[in-house]
Amino acid sequence: MSSSSWPDWACRYHAYGRAEDVPGQLAALSSADPLVRGAAVSALSGNVYHQGTRWPASAHIVAPLVVLADTPTTPDRATVVHLLHAVALGDLRDDVLPFDPTRAFAGAERVGPSDEAAVLRVLFEDEDPDPDSVADVADAVAVRWAAEAYRAAERHAPSFLTWLEAPEPAVASRAAALLAWFPAVPGLATALAGVGFSRCTARASANLALAFLPGPPGSGDLAALTACLASTNEAVRVTAAVALARRQTTALPDEALTVLVHADDAEVAGALPGWDRSLRGHVALALRRLGL
C-alpha cells in the first residue's frame, strides 16, 4: 500500500486532532535509526491507541501497518505487529478469549455518523465545548471506533497467517497471539498446527492460539498438540497441555495432565511475546477448567 493510496489523513481524527502527522510517523517505522523508530511508535501509540481508546484514524492505520509487517526488510517487524495488535484490540487482554466481537461491540450499532460528528465537534472544534451535550452517545461512539479498528484488522487477518513463518521468533509468536482473536480466518487451525516444532517460541504461541479455537481439535490439531507433549522445550510442552485441557477436557491424555501438574508444582515461569498471561497463568486456568 503506497502512500498515494492512503486516506486523506487531514480529514481523520486521532486523540490529538487531525491526523496529518500520521504519514510521517508511519514512514519513520522503516527508518534504520532505532531512536527514530521508537519515537514513531510512541507517537503513533498516543495518537491512535490513546489509553486503549481508538479513534476515527485508528482503523485506517491498520492497512499501512500490515504492509510494513508484510515487508521482510522492515526493521523490528515484531514492534509493528505489537502496534497492530494494540490498534486492533485496544486494552483487551487474553483472559477474555475466546473473543466474541458481536457481544464486545454491541453498543456500536446504536450510533450513526451524526453522533460521531457531534462527539468530534465537541472534542476538537467547538471553542466553548459542552461535553454534556454528547454524554449519552460518547461511550457508544468510542465502541464504534473500536469495532471499526477490529473489523479493519479482521479483513487483513489472512496476512497474519504468513507471519507465522517469519524467521524472527517474536514476529511469529505475536502473529499467533494476534490470530487467536480472529478464529474465523480460513485455514487458521491448519496453519497453527503446521508451525515447525524446532521453532520453539512460535510453536508454543501457536499452541496457545489453538487452545482458544472453538470446538474439539481436528485430527491435525490433535496430532500436533500430542506430539508437542514430548518436546524437550518446556514452553512447547506446557502450552500443548494447556490447549488439550481446553479443547479435549473429557479425553485429556495422561501425558498432558502430567505436564500440567508438574508445571504447576514447579511454578513454570516465563511468558510468550504477544500474550498477556504468563505460562503459569495459562496452566492455572487449564487446571481450573479441569476442576483441579
Side-chain angles (χ1 to χ4, degrees):
M1 184 179 185
S2 68
S3 58
S4 62
S5 61
W6 288 354
D8 183 354
W9 293 105
C11 295
R12 312 290 176 187
Y13 284 89
H14 56 45
Y16 297 101
R18 296 189 183 273
E20 295 167 293
D21 52 350
V22 165
Q25 293 159 2
L26 287 168
L29 294 178
S30 295
S31 172
D33 186 337
L35 294 178
V36 172
R37 295 198 306 273
V41 169
S42 178
L44 282 169
S45 297
N47 285 341
V48 298
Y49 162 68
H50 183 68
Q51 298 178 351
T53 299
R54 269 62 55 80
W55 300 82
S58 301
H60 298 279
I61 203 177
V62 167
L65 289 177
V66 170
V67 171
L68 285 165
D70 274 341
T71 305
T73 55
T74 296
D76 198 1
R77 293 166 71 200
T79 295
V80 173
V81 179
H82 177 60
L83 181 57
L84 174 62
H85 188 128
V87 172
L89 296 162
D91 283 343
L92 290 173
R93 294 177 57 83
D94 56 44
D95 55 4
V96 303
L97 287 169
F99 183 58
D100 180 357
T102 301
R103 181 176 180 179
F105 305 129
E109 74 278 358
R110 73 178 181 88
V111 298
S114 62
D115 299 307
E116 179 180 13
V119 170
L120 292 173
R121 185 177 64 251
V122 167
L123 289 174
F124 300 113
E125 298 173 7
D126 289 351
E127 292 185 6
D128 186 20
D130 178 15
D132 290 341
S133 67
V134 294
D136 58 334
V137 295
D139 288 345
V141 167
V143 172
R144 174 176 173 160
W145 293 335
E148 289 172 350
Y150 176 86
R151 296 302 182 190
E154 186 176 47
R155 290 192 291 273
H156 289 277
S159 287
F160 309 164
L161 294 177
T162 67
W163 306 342
L164 292 172
E165 299 305 319
E168 307 97 322
V171 173
S173 181
R174 289 189 179 281
L178 182 57
L179 282 161
W181 298 85
F182 301 96
V185 178
L188 175 56
T190 299
L192 292 171
V195 172
F197 285 66
S198 63
R199 302 170 61 229
C200 296
T201 300
R203 179 65 262 164
S205 187
N207 288 346
L208 287 183
L210 284 168
F212 294 103
L213 296 189
S219 58
D221 309 16
L222 184 58
L225 293 171
T226 302
C228 285
L229 295 175
S231 173
T232 58
N233 182 271
E234 182 179 51
V236 172
R237 290 196 309 275
V238 168
T239 53
V242 167
L244 288 166
R246 284 197 60 89
R247 298 187 62 199
Q248 194 153 299
T249 305
T250 59
L252 185 68
D254 291 341
E255 298 92 333
L257 182 57
T258 299
V259 168
L260 289 173
V261 171
H262 181 269
D264 186 51
D265 289 342
E267 297 186 351
V268 60
L272 295 168
W275 295 91
D276 303 303
R277 190 188 299 269
S278 66
L279 290 177
R280 186 179 180 189
H282 284 290
V283 168
L285 185 67
L287 290 171
R288 192 178 311 129
R289 188 176 181 87
L290 295 171
L292 299 174

